[in-house]
Amino acid sequence: MDDYEEKYHKQKRLTDQLMHALAKVADECGNYTKDHSERVALYSMEIARRLGKSRAEQYEIYQMGLLHDIGKIGVPDTITGKADNLADKEYDMMKRHPMIGAKILQNINELPGLAVGARWHHERYDGQGYPDALAGEDIPEEARIIAIADAYDAMSSQRNYSSVMGQQYVRTEIEKGKGTQFDPVIADVLLEMIDSDVDYVMNSETSLLVIREFFEILD
Ligand SMILES: [Fe+2]
């Protein structure tokens, strides 16, 4: 490897490390469990793989998943970290994080998808989501994937105020959200993943390494 090549690979590794550092910034905000952003990224990548996306597309969705919640940095910790239900005013502030994230990421021309994932990961298939109340296929597909991976991880994670929910319960909730909260086709892919996860590996108590192995992800 010549000097140039070496530098090129070093820059690639640095980019990857910076993305993971930013994902940790997002995870430090509020009550999310450790590694929430990376699990969302991994689940999203696996959904993309099962949908037949190319390796490049799968990796881009992974990166979008890593940074989807970066906008939480702009919402006070007293709100993102609140254990019980938010008052209306607090919820309104919480709902600003997708736009804040999109603003933070908007100048990353090399990967415009990053801003897309941040902005639209709280949209709902029935148009009842935020910030733009987009519906159905008007929501970019990558954002629909991240949205369901995010909801799945929220339910299968240990937070300071709740324990990991049972797999059957989580499965029922995903099933219930088909066509309302979630894209029905993408929901079916996640349901397939849940059904193949006989030991309930996909939850926040499992190390990332084991989750990666479960998906047989090659670096
Ligand atoms: Fe979010």
Side-chain angles (χ1 to χ4, degrees), residues 91-127:
Y91 191 49
D92 284 345
M93 284 189 79
M94 184 68 159
K95 289 205 299 199
R96 288 172 52 202
H97 79 273
M99 285 307 281
I100 297 170
K103 216 170 124 192
I104 291 172
L105 302 167
Q106 69 185 354
N107 293 330
I108 306 186
N109 310 325
E110 294 297 332
L111 213 50
L114 292 179
V116 170
R119 178 164 179 163
W120 289 305
H121 72 276
H122 283 289
E123 298 292 350
R124 289 172 51 113
Y125 200 72
D126 60 9

mmCIF file of all heavy atoms in Angstrom, residues 91-127:
data_model
loop_
_atom_site.group_PDB
_atom_site.id
_atom_site.type_symbol
_atom_site.label_atom_id
_atom_site.label_comp_id
_atom_site.label_asym_id
_atom_site.label_seq_id
_atom_site.Cartn_x
_atom_site.Cartn_y
_atom_site.Cartn_z
ATOM 1 N N TYR A 91 -43.690 18.118 25.188
ATOM 2 C CA TYR A 91 -43.785 17.235 24.028
ATOM 3 C C TYR A 91 -43.547 18.029 22.739
ATOM 4 O O TYR A 91 -42.877 17.554 21.817
ATOM 5 C CB TYR A 91 -45.160 16.541 24.015
ATOM 6 C CG TYR A 91 -45.260 15.417 23.010
ATOM 7 C CD1 TYR A 91 -44.277 14.433 22.928
ATOM 8 C CD2 TYR A 91 -46.344 15.336 22.141
ATOM 9 C CE1 TYR A 91 -44.364 13.408 21.990
ATOM 10 C CE2 TYR A 91 -46.444 14.312 21.211
ATOM 11 C CZ TYR A 91 -45.443 13.351 21.136
ATOM 12 O OH TYR A 91 -45.543 12.333 20.208
ATOM 13 N N ASP A 92 -44.079 19.261 22.718
ATOM 14 C CA ASP A 92 -43.838 20.121 21.549
ATOM 15 C C ASP A 92 -42.346 20.371 21.366
ATOM 16 O O ASP A 92 -41.845 20.388 20.240
ATOM 17 C CB ASP A 92 -44.555 21.467 21.706
ATOM 18 C CG ASP A 92 -46.045 21.325 21.449
ATOM 19 O OD1 ASP A 92 -46.457 20.288 20.888
ATOM 20 O OD2 ASP A 92 -46.798 22.253 21.815
ATOM 21 N N MET A 93 -41.642 20.566 22.465
ATOM 22 C CA MET A 93 -40.191 20.793 22.365
ATOM 23 C C MET A 93 -39.471 19.529 21.908
ATOM 24 O O MET A 93 -38.562 19.572 21.096
ATOM 25 C CB MET A 93 -39.626 21.270 23.707
ATOM 26 C CG MET A 93 -39.967 22.721 23.969
ATOM 27 S SD MET A 93 -39.111 23.344 25.399
ATOM 28 C CE MET A 93 -37.496 23.655 24.719
ATOM 29 N N MET A 94 -39.917 18.400 22.450
ATOM 30 C CA MET A 94 -39.337 17.112 22.074
ATOM 31 C C MET A 94 -39.495 16.872 20.570
ATOM 32 O O MET A 94 -38.600 16.366 19.896
ATOM 33 C CB MET A 94 -40.063 16.014 22.865
ATOM 34 C CG MET A 94 -39.519 14.647 22.649
ATOM 35 S SD MET A 94 -37.864 14.514 23.348
ATOM 36 C CE MET A 94 -37.773 12.762 23.516
ATOM 37 N N LYS A 95 -40.656 17.293 20.062
ATOM 38 C CA LYS A 95 -40.964 17.062 18.652
ATOM 39 C C LYS A 95 -40.126 17.922 17.707
ATOM 40 O O LYS A 95 -40.217 17.773 16.486
ATOM 41 C CB LYS A 95 -42.460 17.301 18.399
ATOM 42 C CG LYS A 95 -43.307 16.202 19.032
ATOM 43 C CD LYS A 95 -44.660 15.994 18.391
ATOM 44 C CE LYS A 95 -45.594 17.147 18.410
ATOM 45 N NZ LYS A 95 -46.987 16.803 18.182
ATOM 46 N N ARG A 96 -39.321 18.796 18.271
ATOM 47 C CA ARG A 96 -38.456 19.622 17.421
ATOM 48 C C ARG A 96 -37.168 18.897 17.018
ATOM 49 O O ARG A 96 -36.447 19.340 16.140
ATOM 50 C CB ARG A 96 -38.112 20.936 18.145
ATOM 51 C CG ARG A 96 -39.325 21.881 18.205
ATOM 52 C CD ARG A 96 -39.057 23.084 19.085
ATOM 53 N NE ARG A 96 -37.811 23.753 18.695
ATOM 54 C CZ ARG A 96 -37.114 24.545 19.491
ATOM 55 N NH1 ARG A 96 -37.528 24.794 20.707
ATOM 56 N NH2 ARG A 96 -36.002 25.098 19.066
ATOM 57 N N HIS A 97 -36.862 17.745 17.694
ATOM 58 C CA HIS A 97 -35.549 17.143 17.430
ATOM 59 C C HIS A 97 -35.326 16.665 15.982
ATOM 60 O O HIS A 97 -34.202 16.747 15.492
ATOM 61 C CB HIS A 97 -35.197 16.057 18.470
ATOM 62 C CG HIS A 97 -35.840 14.728 18.256
ATOM 63 N ND1 HIS A 97 -37.070 14.412 18.750
ATOM 64 C CD2 HIS A 97 -35.408 13.624 17.592
ATOM 65 C CE1 HIS A 97 -37.372 13.171 18.396
ATOM 66 N NE2 HIS A 97 -36.381 12.667 17.696
ATOM 67 N N PRO A 98 -36.373 16.218 15.239
ATOM 68 C CA PRO A 98 -36.081 15.839 13.850
ATOM 69 C C PRO A 98 -35.605 17.027 12.993
ATOM 70 O O PRO A 98 -34.664 16.885 12.206
ATOM 71 C CB PRO A 98 -37.426 15.300 13.349
ATOM 72 C CG PRO A 98 -38.122 14.827 14.575
ATOM 73 C CD PRO A 98 -37.748 15.824 15.627
ATOM 74 N N MET A 99 -36.251 18.184 13.169
ATOM 75 C CA MET A 99 -35.843 19.352 12.378
ATOM 76 C C MET A 99 -34.461 19.846 12.805
ATOM 77 O O MET A 99 -33.669 20.283 11.966
ATOM 78 C CB MET A 99 -36.879 20.487 12.528
ATOM 79 C CG MET A 99 -38.158 20.256 11.766
ATOM 80 S SD MET A 99 -37.910 19.886 10.011
ATOM 81 C CE MET A 99 -37.608 21.498 9.349
ATOM 82 N N ILE A 100 -34.202 19.791 14.106
ATOM 83 C CA ILE A 100 -32.870 20.212 14.582
ATOM 84 C C ILE A 100 -31.812 19.293 13.962
ATOM 85 O O ILE A 100 -30.778 19.739 13.464
ATOM 86 C CB ILE A 100 -32.801 20.189 16.129
ATOM 87 C CG1 ILE A 100 -33.791 21.199 16.719
ATOM 88 C CG2 ILE A 100 -31.375 20.480 16.616
ATOM 89 C CD1 ILE A 100 -33.986 21.093 18.237
ATOM 90 N N GLY A 101 -32.096 17.991 13.968
ATOM 91 C CA GLY A 101 -31.157 17.021 13.383
ATOM 92 C C GLY A 101 -30.930 17.287 11.900
ATOM 93 O O GLY A 101 -29.794 17.279 11.415
ATOM 94 N N ALA A 102 -32.029 17.553 11.185
ATOM 95 C CA ALA A 102 -31.915 17.812 9.745
ATOM 96 C C ALA A 102 -31.049 19.049 9.500
ATOM 97 O O ALA A 102 -30.244 19.090 8.562
ATOM 98 C CB ALA A 102 -33.298 17.990 9.137
ATOM 99 N N LYS A 103 -31.210 20.046 10.370
ATOM 100 C CA LYS A 103 -30.422 21.279 10.226
ATOM 101 C C LYS A 103 -28.935 21.010 10.487
ATOM 102 O O LYS A 103 -28.066 21.493 9.775
ATOM 103 C CB LYS A 103 -30.952 22.309 11.234
ATOM 104 C CG LYS A 103 -30.931 23.716 10.697
ATOM 105 C CD LYS A 103 -31.685 24.639 11.622
ATOM 106 C CE LYS A 103 -30.768 25.784 12.032
ATOM 107 N NZ LYS A 103 -31.303 26.574 13.123
ATOM 108 N N ILE A 104 -28.678 20.207 11.500
ATOM 109 C CA ILE A 104 -27.276 19.877 11.816
ATOM 110 C C ILE A 104 -26.612 19.160 10.632
ATOM 111 O O ILE A 104 -25.449 19.393 10.322
ATOM 112 C CB ILE A 104 -27.203 18.978 13.089
ATOM 113 C CG1 ILE A 104 -27.601 19.783 14.326
ATOM 114 C CG2 ILE A 104 -25.815 18.355 13.260
ATOM 115 C CD1 ILE A 104 -27.748 18.952 15.600
ATOM 116 N N LEU A 105 -27.383 18.295 9.962
ATOM 117 C CA LEU A 105 -26.798 17.428 8.928
ATOM 118 C C LEU A 105 -26.963 17.960 7.504
ATOM 119 O O LEU A 105 -26.453 17.357 6.556
ATOM 120 C CB LEU A 105 -27.445 16.036 9.020
ATOM 121 C CG LEU A 105 -27.299 15.324 10.373
ATOM 122 C CD1 LEU A 105 -28.236 14.118 10.438
ATOM 123 C CD2 LEU A 105 -25.859 14.876 10.615
ATOM 124 N N GLN A 106 -27.651 19.107 7.366
ATOM 125 C CA GLN A 106 -28.059 19.539 6.017
ATOM 126 C C GLN A 106 -26.913 19.830 5.048
ATOM 127 O O GLN A 106 -27.101 19.732 3.838
ATOM 128 C CB GLN A 106 -28.977 20.758 6.105
ATOM 129 C CG GLN A 106 -28.279 22.018 6.564
ATOM 130 C CD GLN A 106 -29.251 23.187 6.747
ATOM 131 O OE1 GLN A 106 -30.425 23.086 6.432
ATOM 132 N NE2 GLN A 106 -28.747 24.283 7.294
ATOM 133 N N ASN A 107 -25.754 20.160 5.559
ATOM 134 C CA ASN A 107 -24.656 20.488 4.632
ATOM 135 C C ASN A 107 -23.762 19.304 4.293
ATOM 136 O O ASN A 107 -22.737 19.466 3.643
ATOM 137 C CB ASN A 107 -23.808 21.626 5.196
ATOM 138 C CG ASN A 107 -24.605 22.914 5.237
ATOM 139 O OD1 ASN A 107 -25.498 23.113 4.407
ATOM 140 N ND2 ASN A 107 -24.325 23.767 6.202
ATOM 141 N N ILE A 108 -24.141 18.113 4.755
ATOM 142 C CA ILE A 108 -23.339 16.930 4.417
ATOM 143 C C ILE A 108 -23.767 16.438 3.035
ATOM 144 O O ILE A 108 -24.571 15.519 2.903
ATOM 145 C CB ILE A 108 -23.449 15.844 5.513
ATOM 146 C CG1 ILE A 108 -23.083 16.455 6.879
ATOM 147 C CG2 ILE A 108 -22.544 14.645 5.176
ATOM 148 C CD1 ILE A 108 -23.018 15.474 8.008
ATOM 149 N N ASN A 109 -23.230 17.090 2.003
ATOM 150 C CA ASN A 109 -23.634 16.767 0.620
ATOM 151 C C ASN A 109 -23.206 15.368 0.206
ATOM 152 O O ASN A 109 -23.800 14.767 -0.678
ATOM 153 C CB ASN A 109 -22.987 17.723 -0.389
ATOM 154 C CG ASN A 109 -23.181 19.153 -0.006
ATOM 155 O OD1 ASN A 109 -24.225 19.494 0.545
ATOM 156 N ND2 ASN A 109 -22.192 19.983 -0.261
ATOM 157 N N GLU A 110 -22.163 14.859 0.806
ATOM 158 C CA GLU A 110 -21.682 13.529 0.442
ATOM 159 C C GLU A 110 -22.679 12.446 0.826
ATOM 160 O O GLU A 110 -22.642 11.342 0.295
ATOM 161 C CB GLU A 110 -20.336 13.227 1.131
ATOM 162 C CG GLU A 110 -19.182 14.089 0.677
ATOM 163 C CD GLU A 110 -18.840 13.891 -0.794
ATOM 164 O OE1 GLU A 110 -19.076 12.789 -1.326
ATOM 165 O OE2 GLU A 110 -18.358 14.857 -1.400
ATOM 166 N N LEU A 111 -23.546 12.747 1.796
ATOM 167 C CA LEU A 111 -24.511 11.759 2.258
ATOM 168 C C LEU A 111 -25.820 12.474 2.627
ATOM 169 O O LEU A 111 -26.169 12.580 3.799
ATOM 170 C CB LEU A 111 -23.916 11.040 3.489
ATOM 171 C CG LEU A 111 -24.264 9.573 3.694
ATOM 172 C CD1 LEU A 111 -24.025 8.748 2.439
ATOM 173 C CD2 LEU A 111 -23.446 9.011 4.840
ATOM 174 N N PRO A 112 -26.564 12.938 1.617
ATOM 175 C CA PRO A 112 -27.783 13.705 1.903
ATOM 176 C C PRO A 112 -28.808 12.896 2.688
ATOM 177 O O PRO A 112 -29.668 13.453 3.376
ATOM 178 C CB PRO A 112 -28.328 14.083 0.521
ATOM 179 C CG PRO A 112 -27.436 13.471 -0.488
ATOM 180 C CD PRO A 112 -26.294 12.786 0.183
ATOM 181 N N GLY A 113 -28.702 11.562 2.620
ATOM 182 C CA GLY A 113 -29.630 10.694 3.347
ATOM 183 C C GLY A 113 -29.588 10.922 4.852
ATOM 184 O O GLY A 113 -30.576 10.683 5.539
ATOM 185 N N LEU A 114 -28.472 11.388 5.357
ATOM 186 C CA LEU A 114 -28.374 11.585 6.806
ATOM 187 C C LEU A 114 -29.450 12.557 7.293
ATOM 188 O O LEU A 114 -30.129 12.307 8.293
ATOM 189 C CB LEU A 114 -26.981 12.110 7.191
ATOM 190 C CG LEU A 114 -25.805 11.148 7.004
ATOM 191 C CD1 LEU A 114 -24.514 11.840 7.416
ATOM 192 C CD2 LEU A 114 -26.009 9.860 7.804
ATOM 193 N N ALA A 115 -29.606 13.656 6.564
ATOM 194 C CA ALA A 115 -30.623 14.646 6.946
ATOM 195 C C ALA A 115 -32.031 14.089 6.747
ATOM 196 O O ALA A 115 -32.948 14.394 7.521
ATOM 197 C CB ALA A 115 -30.425 15.928 6.148
ATOM 198 N N VAL A 116 -32.192 13.235 5.738
ATOM 199 C CA VAL A 116 -33.499 12.617 5.460
ATOM 200 C C VAL A 116 -33.934 11.742 6.642
ATOM 201 O O VAL A 116 -35.061 11.819 7.128
ATOM 202 C CB VAL A 116 -33.425 11.768 4.158
ATOM 203 C CG1 VAL A 116 -34.667 10.913 3.970
ATOM 204 C CG2 VAL A 116 -33.207 12.684 2.957
ATOM 205 N N GLY A 117 -33.005 10.897 7.111
ATOM 206 C CA GLY A 117 -33.315 10.001 8.238
ATOM 207 C C GLY A 117 -33.641 10.793 9.496
ATOM 208 O O GLY A 117 -34.570 10.449 10.237
ATOM 209 N N ALA A 118 -32.881 11.838 9.734
ATOM 210 C CA ALA A 118 -33.103 12.654 10.940
ATOM 211 C C ALA A 118 -34.459 13.339 10.872
ATOM 212 O O ALA A 118 -35.226 13.344 11.836
ATOM 213 C CB ALA A 118 -31.984 13.689 11.088
ATOM 214 N N ARG A 119 -34.785 13.894 9.704
ATOM 215 C CA ARG A 119 -36.003 14.702 9.597
ATOM 216 C C ARG A 119 -37.296 13.892 9.637
ATOM 217 O O ARG A 119 -38.294 14.317 10.220
ATOM 218 C CB ARG A 119 -35.962 15.513 8.295
ATOM 219 C CG ARG A 119 -37.201 16.350 8.085
ATOM 220 C CD ARG A 119 -37.008 17.398 7.046
ATOM 221 N NE ARG A 119 -38.233 18.172 6.867
ATOM 222 C CZ ARG A 119 -38.274 19.344 6.262
ATOM 223 N NH1 ARG A 119 -37.167 19.864 5.784
ATOM 224 N NH2 ARG A 119 -39.413 19.991 6.122
ATOM 225 N N TRP A 120 -37.277 12.707 9.017
ATOM 226 C CA TRP A 120 -38.562 12.018 8.837
ATOM 227 C C TRP A 120 -38.716 10.712 9.599
ATOM 228 O O TRP A 120 -39.627 9.926 9.309
ATOM 229 C CB TRP A 120 -38.817 11.823 7.340
ATOM 230 C CG TRP A 120 -39.139 13.130 6.660
ATOM 231 C CD1 TRP A 120 -40.148 14.012 7.015
ATOM 232 C CD2 TRP A 120 -38.475 13.729 5.536
ATOM 233 N NE1 TRP A 120 -40.137 15.105 6.184
ATOM 234 C CE2 TRP A 120 -39.126 14.965 5.258
ATOM 235 C CE3 TRP A 120 -37.402 13.347 4.739
ATOM 236 C CZ2 TRP A 120 -38.727 15.809 4.215
ATOM 237 C CZ3 TRP A 120 -37.008 14.191 3.692
ATOM 238 C CH2 TRP A 120 -37.666 15.401 3.444
ATOM 239 N N HIS A 121 -37.873 10.437 10.602
ATOM 240 C CA HIS A 121 -37.998 9.148 11.283
ATOM 241 C C HIS A 121 -39.166 9.084 12.277
ATOM 242 O O HIS A 121 -39.448 8.034 12.827
ATOM 243 C CB HIS A 121 -36.677 8.731 11.967
ATOM 244 C CG HIS A 121 -36.327 9.523 13.194
ATOM 245 N ND1 HIS A 121 -35.688 10.738 13.144
ATOM 246 C CD2 HIS A 121 -36.529 9.276 14.506
ATOM 247 C CE1 HIS A 121 -35.504 11.187 14.377
ATOM 248 N NE2 HIS A 121 -36.012 10.321 15.222
ATOM 249 N N HIS A 122 -39.854 10.213 12.499
ATOM 250 C CA HIS A 122 -41.057 10.173 13.348
ATOM 251 C C HIS A 122 -42.338 10.394 12.554
ATOM 252 O O HIS A 122 -43.396 10.657 13.127
ATOM 253 C CB HIS A 122 -40.972 11.193 14.487
ATOM 254 C CG HIS A 122 -40.079 10.741 15.603
ATOM 255 N ND1 HIS A 122 -40.417 9.715 16.460
ATOM 256 C CD2 HIS A 122 -38.851 11.155 15.988
ATOM 257 C CE1 HIS A 122 -39.425 9.524 17.327
ATOM 258 N NE2 HIS A 122 -38.459 10.386 17.059
ATOM 259 N N GLU A 123 -42.227 10.296 11.217
ATOM 260 C CA GLU A 123 -43.452 10.331 10.417
ATOM 261 C C GLU A 123 -44.158 8.988 10.582
ATOM 262 O O GLU A 123 -43.521 7.983 10.907
ATOM 263 C CB GLU A 123 -43.112 10.572 8.931
ATOM 264 C CG GLU A 123 -42.428 11.899 8.660
ATOM 265 C CD GLU A 123 -43.334 13.119 8.889
ATOM 266 O OE1 GLU A 123 -44.560 12.944 9.079
ATOM 267 O OE2 GLU A 123 -42.800 14.254 8.896
ATOM 268 N N ARG A 124 -45.467 8.985 10.381
ATOM 269 C CA ARG A 124 -46.232 7.737 10.461
ATOM 270 C C ARG A 124 -46.864 7.455 9.110
ATOM 271 O O ARG A 124 -47.227 8.379 8.384
ATOM 272 C CB ARG A 124 -47.350 7.868 11.511
ATOM 273 C CG ARG A 124 -46.888 7.903 12.949
ATOM 274 C CD ARG A 124 -48.087 8.224 13.859
ATOM 275 N NE ARG A 124 -49.219 7.357 13.592
ATOM 276 C CZ ARG A 124 -49.691 6.453 14.444
ATOM 277 N NH1 ARG A 124 -49.144 6.321 15.644
ATOM 278 N NH2 ARG A 124 -50.707 5.702 14.117
ATOM 279 N N TYR A 125 -47.043 6.185 8.830
ATOM 280 C CA TYR A 125 -47.594 5.768 7.534
ATOM 281 C C TYR A 125 -48.986 6.381 7.282
ATOM 282 O O TYR A 125 -49.338 6.704 6.167
ATOM 283 C CB TYR A 125 -47.662 4.243 7.488
ATOM 284 C CG TYR A 125 -47.758 3.686 6.091
ATOM 285 C CD1 TYR A 125 -46.663 3.711 5.234
ATOM 286 C CD2 TYR A 125 -48.950 3.114 5.629
ATOM 287 C CE1 TYR A 125 -46.754 3.192 3.947
ATOM 288 C CE2 TYR A 125 -49.037 2.593 4.344
ATOM 289 C CZ TYR A 125 -47.934 2.638 3.517
ATOM 290 O OH TYR A 125 -48.019 2.120 2.231
ATOM 291 N N ASP A 126 -49.761 6.578 8.379
ATOM 292 C CA ASP A 126 -51.105 7.141 8.220
ATOM 293 C C ASP A 126 -51.120 8.672 8.201
ATOM 294 O O ASP A 126 -52.180 9.296 8.211
ATOM 295 C CB ASP A 126 -52.036 6.613 9.328
ATOM 296 C CG ASP A 126 -51.538 6.973 10.733
ATOM 297 O OD1 ASP A 126 -50.576 7.774 10.862
ATOM 298 O OD2 ASP A 126 -52.106 6.448 11.709
ATOM 299 N N GLY A 127 -49.952 9.288 8.191
ATOM 300 C CA GLY A 127 -49.886 10.753 8.097
ATOM 301 C C GLY A 127 -50.038 11.482 9.422
ATOM 302 O O GLY A 127 -50.134 12.708 9.452
#
